[in-house]
Amino acid sequence: MARKIQSRITVTGMLKAESPIHVGGINNNPIVDLSLALNGQGEYYIPGTSLAGALRGWLETNSGDQIQSQDINQDIKNLFGHQDKDKGHASFLLIEDAVIKNSKNAKQEIRDSVGIDRYTGAAADKTKFDRAILPTGTEICFNLTLEVDSYVS
């Protein structure tokens, strides 16, 4: 059954990376083992699902003292959607894929990395690889829409 939306609240802005970013894409660069994701226009981007997961995780970790609620986890489930057998609903938050500002001119960095042996915790033999990243300070165009259900007062 379709839900009745009373209104929509849209939030737009810029996010600024506080640490380097790597969102993997199809490897089309012979110099780099793990290249960055590109959208259909050839721009670096972060999928909306990745941003939604990060936002949800942040809320679960940090909102306990700021939101006056009996059960903050239930509020977050209601906001982001949930499925429990044949009950549940889709998310009321729509987070769009976020394009990197000035993506065509963004400077990616290449970082060397090594695989870690899961048993010894040391560098694994013959597992060096290169990863492309976008540096700290990269700006990300952010768009979020909150759909307000008709039964919410």
Side-chain angles (χ1 to χ4, degrees), residues 9-91:
I9 300 168
T10 301
V11 177
T12 61
M14 284 292 175
L15 302 176
K16 193 170 191 176
E18 293 184 357
S19 62
I21 301 171
H22 173 82
V23 177
I26 296 172
N27 195 0
N28 58 1
N29 185 344
I31 299 171
V32 179
D33 297 314
L34 299 173
S35 56
L36 293 165
L38 298 171
N39 66 12
Q41 285 76 43
E43 301 166 313
Y44 298 126
Y45 82 107
I46 300 173
T49 53
S50 295
L51 291 170
L55 179 58
R56 183 178 186 151
W58 185 88
L59 284 171
E60 288 171 347
T61 303
N62 295 292
S63 294
D65 295 335
Q66 278 131 35
I67 298 175
Q68 301 300 318
S69 171
Q70 297 263 353
D71 186 0
I72 188 66
N73 290 328
Q74 186 61 45
D75 290 343
I76 292 170
K77 281 174 63 175
N78 288 338
L79 181 62
F80 282 88
H82 62 95
Q83 185 70 40
D84 184 20
K85 297 183 182 165
D86 61 345
K87 297 192 188 304
H89 62 81
S91 177

